[in-house]
Amino acid sequence: MRTCLLIVLWACSSQLGDAKALFERTTDVVVKEGMVVGRGDDGWALKRSKRGWMWNQFFLLEEYTGSDYQYVGKLHSDQDKGDGTLKYVLSGDGAGSLFLIDENSGDIHATKRLDREEKAYYTLRAQAVNKRTGRPVEPESQFVIKIHDINDNEPKFTKDTYIASVPEMSDVGTPVVQVTATDDDDATYGNSARVVYSILQGQPYFSVEPDTGIIRTALASMNRENKEKYQVVIQAKDMAGQIGGLSGTATVNISLSDVNDNPPRFPQGTYQFSTPESTEVGSPVGRIKANDADVGENAEVKYNIIGGDGVDMFDIMTDKDTQEGVITVKRPLDYERKKIYTIKVQAENTHLDPRFLLHGPFKDTATVKITVEDVDEPPVFERASYIMEVKEDASIGTLIGSVIAADPDATKSLVRYSIDRLTDLDRMFNIHSGNGSIVTFKHLDRESFPWHNITVTATEINNPKQVGRVPVYIRILDINDNAPEFATFYETFVCENAKAGQRIQTVSAVDNDDPIGGHRFFFSLPAEASVNANFTVRDNKDNTAGILTRQSGFSRLERSTYLVPVVISDGGYPMQSSTSTLTIRVCTCDREGNMQSCNAEPLILPAGLSTGALIAILLCIIILLIIVMLFAALRRQKKKEPLIISKEDVRDNIVSYNDEGGGEEDTQAFDIGTLRNPEAIDDNKLRRDIIPETLFPSRRTAPTRDNADVRDFINQRLQENDTDPTAPPYDSLATYAYEGNGSIAESLSSLESATTEGDQDYNYLSEWGPRFKKLADMYGGEDSDKDS
C-alpha cells in the first residue's frame, strides 16, 4: 500500500522562533497518491516514490508550568479518511505515561513537567493501525522529541572553598589559582551555560579573569609580615554576565608564603655570661638569639665565632628547635690563668634569596663577654694516667712507682693519697699517703693476672670533698717459674708389625711463662729409661719431638701397653723441666699401617645377646604383664545386687498404688525437679528405690471398688509409721503426712485436712494423667458405687 505518514508540529505563539520556522516548513509538504513532492527553491525539484521526507524531531520547552497537558505535535496518515477506521499507536521512551496520543486525531501531549538536565531527548515510534483488522496501514516511523533548554540552573563551583597560596612580594599579575564553575544548562543553546567570573571581595589585592577564572595578584609588594591571609569571594554568573542571569559564589582563602626578605638581627649588641672554671668541656655557658621575621627555612640562622680572645676556649652551635646560638666550653677553663674572655659572634641566614640581596647583608654581629668564676678544685695529677712495671717474683713491700698530685688553687692545700679498693679487691698493692709511692702488698703471679688496673685518689686535707683520681696500670713482668709440659693428651699406638726406627708420634709442649725471645723446648729420655728402651725420642729442634721405635715387631699377647717417660726442658733462666709419660698401646694394623684392633683378646667374643634382642625381650615381658593385670581386674569386677531385687523387699504391696516416694528430703526415691516441673517428666525414667515395672509388668485389673478392708489396712499402716520414729523413708505412705521443710508446693496430703472422706471430691485425679490413674480408679470409683 502506498502510504505516507505526515507529522505536523503545531506551534504555540509562546514557543521559540526556530520551532515556528520548522512548523512553516511542514506546510510545504504535499502528499499525492504514489509520491511525495517537496517544493524547493527552484520549484518542484524533489521527487521520491512512496515516501518523501518525514519529520524526525519535535521540540518541547522544559519546565512547563501550565495547568493543562503540554501540546507536542500531531500525527496524520494519508490513509486516514476521517471515518474513524484508523487509530494511532505511540511507543518508545515515556509512551503511555509521559507522552499520550489521541488514537483518533493523532495529537501528542506531554503529561508531566520535563527537565532537560534529567533527560535531553526522547525517542518514540508512531504507527497507524486499522481498528477493525488490527493491522498497520503505515510502516512504523521513529522520531525524537528534543527538550529545549531554559536558564533554570545557576553555575556551581567545583569546590565551595578553595585554598591557595602565593609567595609574598610577588609581581602584579602573578597567577594564584584557577576556579571553575559549571552550568547544567545546554551550552549549545543560547547563553544559558556561558559563565563569566567576577570578584566580589578581595580587591585591590587580587583580580580574576572573567573567562578563565584565574585569580591573579593585583597589588605589588604584598608583605607576609604585615598581612598573611586574605579571603577572596568569586562570583560565577551565566547568560554571559547579563542582567537576569543566575549566579553562584565560592570563597578562596589565599595565604602569602614566606620568602627570605628579612635579615637576622640581634636585639642587643653586647651579651655577658659567667661560668665556673670547673665547667666541663662541651657544657653550655649561655644562649643568644638573632631574631628573623621570616619563618621556616628562611628564618634558619647559623652562628659563628669570628673574633675575640676566646676563639680557642669557646665554641657556638645552633639549636635547630629554637634557632638560638648555644655557647659551649671548648677547652678547660682556669681561673688562675685567665678570668675574662671576649668573643665576637656572627649570625647569618643559611638560605638566601638572590632577589633581596640588594636590600643589604643578611647577617649581624654581637659581642659576648664571658667571666670565669673561681671554684675550689680537686687535686690534679701530673699525668692523666700512669703505667708501671714490676716482676712477679718481687718481694712484699717492693717499690713499684710514685704518683704526684697538687692542689691547683691558690691555697695549695696538702693532699693525701689512697687506693680505691674497689679496683684492688685482693689488696695486692699499697700506697704511701704522703708521697704517693706504690708498693707490693702480696705476692704476684703473672700467669694469673698479667695486668693490674687500679685507681689512685688524691684528697685535699683541708677539704676532703675535693678528690682527684688517676688510673694506674701495673704490668707484671715474667720470670721463668713454670716447667713445660705436653701440649695435649696423646693417644699413641704402635703396630705389631712396626719396624725399627719408625716414627709413631709427634709431640709438642706448652709453657705458661712468656719469655722475651719466645719459647725453646728440649726433648729427651731420662738416663735410666734409655737403657734397653723399646722407644726413643728425637728432638726436631722446632719445639716438637718424634717418638721412634728401637726394635722390630711387637706382640699384644706379650705386652699390650708401654709407658715412655719424656723429659721436656725450656731455655730460660733458671731452667725449668718436667717429665711427662706417654702411653703407647700395641695394636693390630693392616699393611698400610692403619689400626684395626687394640684389644688384648680380640678373638674372644662376650657371651650374651645384643642390645636389640634384649630390648625386644623386655617389651614382650611388659606386654604379657599388662595382659595379666587386665584379666585379673576383669575377674575381680562383680556387679552388686540391686536393693530392689532383694527378696526381703516388703514394698511389693505398695507398687501397684504408685507410691510417690519419701518426700522432698528423700532424694534417693525420686528427682525433686519432677514436682517443680511436672511437664518435664521423662516417661522412660525409672525410679531408683523400687523394682522397675518394665521388669515385672503388673497385671491389668478392673477398677477397684470401695473396699473397706483395704482402707482399714492402709490406715493401720499409716498410724504405725507415724508413731514409729525408726521407720525408714522407703515406706512412702509416711510421706503423705510430711512434705519436707520449705516445700513450694506446700502439703499435698489430705490426712491433716479437716474435711471428712465423704466430703472430699476425687474426680480431679483423673485429670492428672496416666501416673495418677490407679488413684483415680480407687477414689473416683467410690462415688460411682454410691450412685449405683
Side-chain angles (χ1 to χ4, degrees):
M1 179 182 296
R2 296 177 297 173
T3 62
C4 179
L5 176 64
L6 175 64
I7 305 176
V8 181
L9 174 63
W10 294 83
C12 299
S13 59
S14 61
Q15 292 180 336
L16 299 176
D18 56 350
K20 183 181 293 185
L22 291 174
F23 172 74
E24 292 173 354
R25 288 166 55 189
T26 61
T27 60
D28 292 338
V29 179
V30 180
V31 182
K32 295 185 178 180
E33 185 178 356
M35 66 177 63
V36 176
V37 181
R39 180 181 299 170
D41 296 337
D42 299 334
W44 304 95
L46 303 176
K47 295 182 178 180
R48 187 158 66 97
S49 60
K50 190 175 181 179
R51 186 181 300 273
W53 60 278
M54 72 175 188
W55 287 103
N56 59 1
Q57 277 192 352
F58 284 100
F59 294 94
L60 191 63
L61 287 176
E62 66 171 335
E63 304 295 343
Y64 174 71
T65 58
S67 59
D68 299 332
Y69 289 167
Q70 188 177 6
Y71 184 73
V72 179
K74 183 181 183 65
L75 299 179
H76 184 72
S77 174
D78 60 350
Q79 298 296 327
D80 189 357
K81 306 301 181 180
D83 55 1
T85 59
L86 296 182
K87 67 175 180 179
Y88 297 94
V89 179
L90 189 66
S91 61
D93 294 342
S97 58
L98 186 58
F99 299 101
L100 299 178
I101 187 172
D102 189 331
E103 64 177 12
N104 296 320
S105 64
D107 293 333
I108 302 175
H109 291 82
T111 63
K112 296 181 180 178
R113 183 178 179 179
L114 302 179
D115 189 357
R116 189 201 65 83
E117 286 70 38
E118 294 182 359
K119 191 174 181 64
Y121 62 90
Y122 297 85
T123 302
L124 295 97
R125 295 178 298 278
Q127 198 172 35
V129 181
N130 189 294
K131 290 183 178 180
R132 185 175 58 83
T133 62
R135 295 181 179 180
V137 299
E138 282 283 347
E140 189 177 55
S141 297
Q142 181 173 299
F143 62 96
V144 176
I145 299 178
K146 187 175 182 181
I147 310 302
H148 264 190
D149 182 49
I150 65 173
N151 189 19
D152 60 341
N153 291 279
E154 71 278 1
K156 294 182 180 179
F157 285 91
T158 56
K159 297 180 181 178
D160 293 335
T161 302
Y162 291 83
I163 305 296
S165 65
V166 63
E168 63 174 333
M169 310 300 290
S170 297
D171 297 332
V172 175
T174 302
V176 180
V177 68
Q178 183 177 15
V179 295
T180 303
T182 58
D183 196 317
D184 292 337
D185 293 326
D186 191 358
T188 62
Y189 180 74
N191 294 325
S192 298
R194 184 180 175 185
V195 178
V196 174
Y197 301 93
S198 61
I199 186 168
L200 300 181
Q201 177 182 327
Q203 292 126 339
Y205 306 103
F206 300 95
S207 63
V208 63
E209 293 183 357
D211 298 330
T212 62
I214 298 177
I215 300 175
R216 299 180 182 272
T217 57
L219 187 63
S221 302
M222 286 191 293
N223 196 342
R224 185 199 64 83
E225 287 73 31
N226 296 333
K227 185 176 182 180
E228 181 179 1
K229 297 183 180 298
Y230 297 85
Q231 189 176 75
V232 180
V233 178
I234 302 298
Q235 174 184 266
K237 191 173 184 180
D238 59 11
M239 297 298 292
Q242 299 175 4
I243 298 176
L246 304 179
S247 63
T249 60
T251 301
V252 183
N253 294 324
I254 302 176
S255 300
L256 295 183
S257 59
D258 185 61
V259 298
N260 193 5
D261 59 340
N262 294 281
R265 290 288 181 263
F266 284 106
Q268 60 192 65
T270 303
Y271 295 86
Q272 291 185 352
F273 298 101
S274 61
T275 183
E277 62 175 335
S278 60
T279 303
E280 297 181 357
V281 175
S283 299
V285 175
R287 290 171 174 258
I288 60 176
K289 183 177 182 180
N291 298 324
D292 194 325
D294 298 321
V295 295
E297 65 176 14
N298 297 319
E300 292 181 0
V301 179
K302 181 181 180 182
Y303 298 90
N304 295 299
I305 298 177
I306 60 175
D309 56 3
V311 174
D312 297 331
M313 301 301 295
F314 299 94
D315 198 359
I316 190 170
M317 61 184 66
T318 303
D319 188 335
K320 299 298 182 181
D321 297 331
T322 62
Q323 295 301 315
E324 294 177 322
V326 182
I327 301 174
T328 58
V329 177
K330 187 177 182 180
R331 291 185 180 180
L333 304 175
D334 190 356
Y335 173 80
E336 289 74 23
R337 183 180 301 174
K338 190 173 179 63
K339 301 177 177 60
I340 299 176
Y341 294 90
T342 301
I343 58 176
K344 188 175 183 180
V345 179
Q346 176 181 274
E348 59 180 344
N349 285 134
T350 57
H351 298 84
L352 300 179
D353 193 332
R355 297 177 299 170
F356 305 101
L357 293 179
L358 297 177
H359 296 176
F362 280 74
K363 55 187 176 182
D364 195 13
T365 58
T367 301
V368 180
K369 294 182 179 181
I370 302 174
T371 302
V372 180
E373 299 175 350
D374 186 27
V375 295
D376 189 4
E377 299 175 275
V380 178
F381 287 88
E382 289 184 348
R383 303 179 188 176
S385 63
Y386 292 85
I387 298 179
M388 302 178 183
E389 295 180 348
V390 62
K391 291 186 178 181
E392 63 176 326
D393 62 344
S395 59
I396 297 176
T398 300
L399 177 64
I400 301 175
S402 299
V403 296
I404 299 176
D407 184 7
D409 298 324
T411 57
K412 301 298 180 182
S413 175
L414 297 178
V415 298
R416 181 177 64 252
Y417 300 96
S418 62
I419 295 177
D420 186 354
R421 291 305 174 184
L422 294 177
T423 61
D424 185 26
L425 297 176
D426 296 330
R427 292 183 173 269
M428 305 297 295
F429 307 96
N430 204 353
I431 189 171
H432 192 280
S433 61
N435 58 21
S437 299
I438 300 176
V439 298
T440 59
F441 194 66
K442 289 183 179 180
H443 293 289
L444 306 176
D445 185 10
R446 188 204 66 84
E447 287 72 32
S448 300
F449 296 99
W451 284 88
H452 291 269
N453 303 327
I454 63 175
T455 299
V456 176
T457 61
T459 306
E460 290 186 11
I461 296 178
N462 297 332
N463 186 7
K465 294 182 178 180
Q466 299 298 329
V467 180
R469 297 175 178 271
V470 67
V472 179
Y473 307 103
I474 302 176
R475 179 184 179 186
I476 309 302
L477 300 179
D478 182 54
I479 63 170
N480 191 23
D481 58 345
N482 291 280
E485 57 186 10
F486 277 150
T488 184
F489 175 77
Y490 295 99
E491 293 185 359
T492 307
F493 69 92
V494 62
C495 296
E496 289 183 316
N497 56 357
K499 297 179 180 180
Q502 181 177 344
R503 188 185 65 181
I504 61 175
Q505 184 68 61
T506 299
V507 296
S508 61
V510 293
D511 194 334
N512 291 329
D513 293 325
D514 187 15
I516 297 176
H519 291 289
R520 177 68 180 92
F521 300 122
F522 303 94
F523 301 86
S524 63
L525 287 175
E528 63 274 9
S530 59
V531 180
N532 296 327
N534 295 310
F535 303 92
T536 185
V537 177
R538 177 184 294 174
D539 196 334
N540 297 328
K541 308 299 182 182
D542 59 355
N543 292 338
T544 65
I547 309 300
L548 308 178
T549 59
R550 296 186 63 180
Q551 68 177 21
S552 299
F554 294 88
S555 175
R556 287 181 297 163
L557 298 179
E558 295 179 0
R559 188 171 181 179
S560 60
T561 58
Y562 292 88
L563 301 179
V564 180
V566 179
V567 177
I568 308 174
S569 304
D570 59 18
Y573 180 83
M575 180 179 292
Q576 300 289 337
S577 64
S578 66
T579 301
S580 300
T581 302
L582 184 67
T583 302
I584 302 175
R585 293 187 299 166
V586 180
C587 301
T588 301
C589 303
D590 56 14
R591 294 181 179 181
E592 287 76 15
N594 299 320
M595 181 184 66
Q596 292 182 339
S597 176
C598 293
N599 295 328
E601 298 179 358
L603 300 178
I604 301 177
L605 298 177
L609 298 176
S610 64
T611 303
L614 292 175
I615 294 175
I617 294 174
L618 182 61
L619 289 176
C620 293
I621 293 174
I622 293 174
I623 293 173
L624 290 175
L625 289 176
I626 293 175
I627 293 174
V628 171
M629 293 174 64
L630 292 175
F631 182 77
L634 293 174
R635 295 278 295 177
R636 287 196 299 268
Q637 288 183 353
K638 295 182 180 180
K639 295 183 179 179
K640 296 182 179 180
E641 182 180 3
L643 178 63
I644 58 177
I645 304 179
S646 176
K647 295 181 180 180
E648 297 182 7
D649 187 8
V650 296
R651 291 171 296 148
D652 293 345
N653 302 341
I654 311 174
V655 171
S656 59
Y657 298 104
N658 280 345
D659 181 16
E660 289 298 327
E664 291 180 0
E665 292 186 352
D666 182 13
T667 58
Q668 298 297 328
F670 65 99
D671 188 1
I672 189 63
T674 304
L675 291 178
R676 301 178 184 228
N677 188 10
E679 297 180 359
I681 297 175
D682 188 0
D683 294 335
N684 296 325
K685 187 173 181 180
L686 301 178
R687 289 184 54 177
R688 292 171 290 177
D689 61 327
I690 63 173
I691 300 175
E693 294 182 359
T694 55
L695 299 179
F696 301 91
S698 58
R699 290 175 294 181
R700 303 179 64 90
T701 58
T704 306
R705 302 294 181 180
D706 185 13
N707 193 329
D709 296 335
V710 173
R711 184 169 59 254
D712 295 338
F713 172 77
I714 293 175
N715 293 332
Q716 180 182 357
R717 293 297 300 270
L718 177 61
Q719 184 177 2
E720 292 176 358
N721 282 275
D722 288 340
T723 57
D724 186 7
T726 63
Y730 300 112
D731 193 346
S732 57
L733 292 178
T735 62
Y736 291 108
Y738 179 70
E739 283 298 327
N741 294 329
S743 173
I744 59 176
E746 298 181 350
S747 177
L748 299 178
S749 174
S750 60
L751 298 179
E752 297 179 359
S753 174
T755 59
T756 61
E757 182 179 357
D759 298 335
Q760 185 70 25
D761 184 10
Y762 297 101
N763 292 330
Y764 61 86
L765 294 176
S766 60
E767 300 176 359
W768 284 11
R771 292 180 176 271
F772 299 89
K773 183 176 181 304
K774 292 185 178 182
L775 286 177
D777 294 340
M778 292 173 57
Y779 293 94
E782 182 178 359
D783 296 336
S784 60
D785 293 342
K786 292 180 179 180
D787 296 337
S788 59

